[in-house]
Amino acid sequence: MDNNINGRTLAFNALLRVIEDDAYSNIAFDTIISRSEANPREVGLAAAIFYGVLERKLTLDYIISKFSKTPIKKIEPKALIILYMGIYQIIYMDRIPDSAAVNESVKLCKKQRLFSASGFVNGVLRSVSRSGMPELPNKNKAQYLSIKYSFPKEIIALWQKSYGEEITEKLLESQSGRPPLCARVNTLKTNTDEMIKLLSAKGISAEKSKILENAVLIENSGSLTRLDEFKKGLFHIEDISSQLCCEVLSPRKGYKVLDVCAAPGGKSVTMAEMMQNDGMILACDLYPQRLNLISENAEKASVNIIQTKAADAQNQDYGQKFERILCDVPCSGFGIIRRKPELRYKSVIGLDTLPDLQYLILCNAARFVAVGGILVYSTCTLNPNENGKNAERFLQEHSNFMPYEIKLDNIIRGIDEPSNQLTLFPHTNGTDGFFISAFVRK
């Protein structure tokens, strides 16, 4: 274990995992950091470069194409990652001298035994340093936006068609930089004020959410999972949008609740805390191995009303009626791109089949809602085909359900939509992109 490892090497190793092995960014980065025992300053530098490169990859490709005679596809993969890192530091990290960005990149090449590539990397980076950011293509609006914000044209076109030009540009602007982490305070063990004091004593800045009383926003925290407060279950990490989803469902003490796609269990735990650990929550997931995550998170939070079950949400017979059912379905994930920037480069193949899968899950869950009970359908994506269209289709085809009005304080509605639907945008409420719709059984 190398305690003196520097931030650039950490960033390189994590980028290699994401770009070559298709790993999720948060898992790749946390794994690399946990093995390194690097000091906080180097971890901070690693995080800035790692997430910055992933966010700006299309822009960085464009810059390389302007300064390299070798096509990107022919550049050795490890050398390309080092190029990405060097250019990101030169263009976007003002506090790092260009000379340091160039020299450290060359050193990293040699450390990776890329001796023949080190001269090429040195030459390209020095050219970028001399010339700066090249002019963006301005003849084609779609290409301009794609390169400026490093987003595929397909997602930009989808958002333009769905939400219009103005919201699309605000959405694209909101995707850069690391978003604050949000923690759900475990009200069975502590309260918001006490939690903020405990974090402050560890040198971690936290403030109350303006939207939810039991949520705190945390910045520049390092790894929260290392904290005793996390290990003791005084809080868990959960975005405001997911917590709002539970608020809309509004589970109460003594209720029976079904969470059909529950892993890793954050919403189940939040609902159990809202129910004061009194009642029953059946938390299901398609993959049996993921049920352990739900049980571990429940145990950490000292919650004992959560039962787990392996179930295919498309056709599972749950065998009883529930006062509350949550369908937080698998989706394209376009709402959490700022947390997992690599999602923007994933193939959009299969996007047209997702709505039917989601609708099957919703329809099956509806069979088990008790009379007067509430059914909530949600996604962490920004795509009307997966969101509002499924909600509207459900009401058209299920006469035994009515719209259930979503009433939430301190929420800005970014678009006009039915009162039982809510689309959350990062630029309006500071949340992840998220969709919630609610129905009541007649």
Side-chain angles (χ1 to χ4, degrees), residues 6 13-14 173 227 249 260 328 429:
N6 68 47
N13 290 337
E173 286 170 7
L227 297 178
L249 194 67
V260 303
D328 186 51
N429 294 291

Side-chain angles (χ1 to χ4, degrees), residues 423-442:
T423 303
L424 296 164
F425 295 100
H427 64 275
T428 53
N429 294 291
T431 66
D432 288 342
F434 207 87
F435 175 78
I436 306 168
S437 56
F439 317 93
V440 59
R441 176 79 185 267
K442 292 181 186 176

Side-chain angles (χ1 to χ4, degrees), residues 7 33 47 84 110 125 168 209 232 260 279 294 301 315 350 355 369 371-372 392 417 430 435 442:
I33 295 305
Y84 285 148
K110 292 175 180 175
L125 294 182
T168 296
S209 161
K232 292 175 181 176
V260 303
I294 303 173
N315 51 35
V369 181
V371 172
E392 289 162 14
E417 54 195 335
F435 175 78
K442 292 181 186 176

Side-chain angles (χ1 to χ4, degrees), residues 29 44 85 135 167 208 235 283 310 324 352 417:
F29 188 74
M85 291 170 56
E135 186 178 348
I167 289 177
K208 287 183 182 181
F235 70 90
R324 298 287 188 269
D352 53 345
E417 54 195 335

Side-chain angles (χ1 to χ4, degrees), residues 374-391:
I374 295 170
L375 171 64
V376 164
Y377 170 83
S378 64
T379 76
C380 59
T381 198
L382 295 171
N383 176 11
N385 290 330
E386 299 175 66
N387 296 344
K389 287 186 179 177
N390 266 344

Side-chain angles (χ1 to χ4, degrees), residues 387-404:
N387 296 344
K389 287 186 179 177
N390 266 344
E392 289 162 14
R393 179 184 174 189
F394 179 79
L395 284 175
Q396 288 168 3
E397 297 180 4
H398 292 77
S399 58
N400 56 338
F401 280 85
M402 298 188 304
Y404 179 75

